[in-house]
Amino acid sequence: MLFNSITYAIFLPVVFIVYWYLLRDRLKLQNGFLLAASYFFYCCWDWKFLGLLIFTTLTTFFTALLIEKTDNKKFWLIANITANLAVLGTFKYLNFFLENAINLLDNIGFHIADHSLLNIILPVGISFYTLQAISYTVDVYKRKICATSDYIAFSTYIAFFPQLVAGPIERSVNLLPQIQKNRVWDYTEAVNGMRQILWGLFKKVAVADLCGVYVDRILSDLDYYNGSTVLLAIILFCFQIYGDFSGYSDMAIGTARLFGIKLSTNFRYPYFAYSIRDFWKRWHISLMTWLRDYVYIPLGGSRKSKARTYFNIVIVFLISGLWHGAAWTYILWGAFWAVAYIAERALTEKGETKFNVPHYLFTLVAILISFLIFRANSIEDIANIATYIFTPALLSMPTGLTPFITIIPMMIIEYAGRHKDSPLENLLLSAPVRWLLYTALTYSIIFAVDESSAQFIYFQF
């Protein structure tokens, strides 16, 4: 069930009405209903993987209780992390490691006849809810939160439908207490939630999907287009993936606000970042802060030598790349960002950290190169696309500028609202101007609808 589908347009109002009008002020029933709605939402993708979600929930729930009530705390912590990573690794990475192991053996002379890889389907959302489950057990172990004995509330924390399949990756210290206490209807918060949903839908349909049509068309027939147009395709992909993922996050956060729950901010206008470090404080914030708190800091963070700090940064970005997918392109993507991040850190540790034009342009170039790597289907494909870009035709006029009809307004509105969680939040505009803006966004969505590009990119991660 996609956020930008007719099915969801029916599902959401029904859940909203039952939640607020039939179950209002009855917390346990509200949580039970949210859990049922979340499981139904997940089953609309593939009901066969619901058991996997419940398995993660059950094992994490009881492990946290054991961590809190027994002396073998570290044993149960390691056991739970191992179990969660084993499930994730089996479904997401087993084929990748098998394929590379077979190729390695083949290269050194050990040929495996009639080998075939397992036909493993990646369960939607597994990368997100697995990290959420791990963070809960770690937080209980570190006594940042008490293990809950309310199974329904905990299950809702793991499976809450707005952020179940593509985040934000929530911490138990933020989301679980909200689920365990009575929610009060807040009209202003609900209105701002609807505005955030509208803005996310605009970014997804009118920006990302429109860009996606041109990106796919150009990169699937490189011989037909000149170098400037191929470069334009990579630029458009930068806006496609941003509109797609941040648009989903906006819709998820806006939906949660309708139910009196505040999710974490996942994007904070990353293309206005003045440096690489600033970019990574703004892009996929829930993942990067998760890696900071549960990988970087436990490894020693920046508390030890400079070499150890740089090593820790490399590990974080390589894990980030591998988290995105089981492919060498994602690992290379992570390695590229590690090198860029360390280079900037080494050159500017005692230097300028505020906005300046050369630094900003360097950041934009790094973003462009990184998404060329991210979009490519293989390592060879990266070189192939680059070959088509760097030709004399690079200086010619590109074709395919139509998506900028929606990209430019998106960037203007986001720049104007860059100090708010969502640019449409608490608009200080007269009613006629506000409704004119809402109408323009709605018509942009209607006219840009394209079923061939409706899938959210980050669902594959």
Side-chain angles (χ1 to χ4, degrees), residues 321-343:
L322 193 59
W323 178 90
H324 281 85
W328 286 108
T329 50
Y330 296 127
I331 296 173
L332 179 61
W333 178 81
F336 168 83
W337 274 120
V339 171
Y341 192 97
I342 290 170

Side-chain angles (χ1 to χ4, degrees), residues 46-120:
D46 195 332
W47 63 268
K48 294 189 294 294
F49 293 116
L50 178 61
L52 199 61
L53 174 61
I54 294 174
F55 171 79
T56 297
T57 304
L58 279 168
T59 55
T60 304
F61 175 78
F62 285 110
T63 298
L65 291 175
L66 289 170
I67 289 172
E68 191 167 76
K69 296 178 179 179
T70 66
D71 294 329
N72 299 322
K73 299 180 186 301
K74 183 170 288 189
F75 169 81
W76 290 112
L77 173 67
I78 294 172
N80 182 256
I81 293 175
T82 302
N84 278 306
L85 291 180
V87 172
L88 178 63
T90 299
F91 282 91
K92 191 167 184 175
Y93 303 108
L94 183 59
N95 269 345
F96 174 71
F97 289 121
L98 284 175
E99 182 180 10
N100 281 278
I102 291 170
N103 290 337
L104 177 62
L105 291 172
D106 188 63
N107 289 333
I108 61 177
F110 294 93
H111 303 291
I112 301 176
D114 299 325
H115 69 269
S116 60
L117 298 178
L118 301 174
N119 185 25
I120 299 177

Side-chain angles (χ1 to χ4, degrees), residues 34 108 113 122 127 143 148 199 247 293 310 353 362 404 445 448:
L34 275 184
I108 61 177
L122 180 65
S127 299
R143 297 181 180 178
T148 180
W199 185 242
D293 294 344
Y310 292 164
T353 57
F362 174 75
F404 285 95
I445 293 165

Side-chain angles (χ1 to χ4, degrees), residues 105 186 378 393:
L105 291 172
D186 187 325
S378 64

Side-chain angles (χ1 to χ4, degrees), residues 398-417:
T399 58
L401 297 172
T402 302
F404 285 95
I405 293 174
T406 54
I407 290 173
I408 291 173
M410 177 190 75
M411 297 301 287
I412 291 173
I413 292 171
E414 292 214 330
Y415 184 80

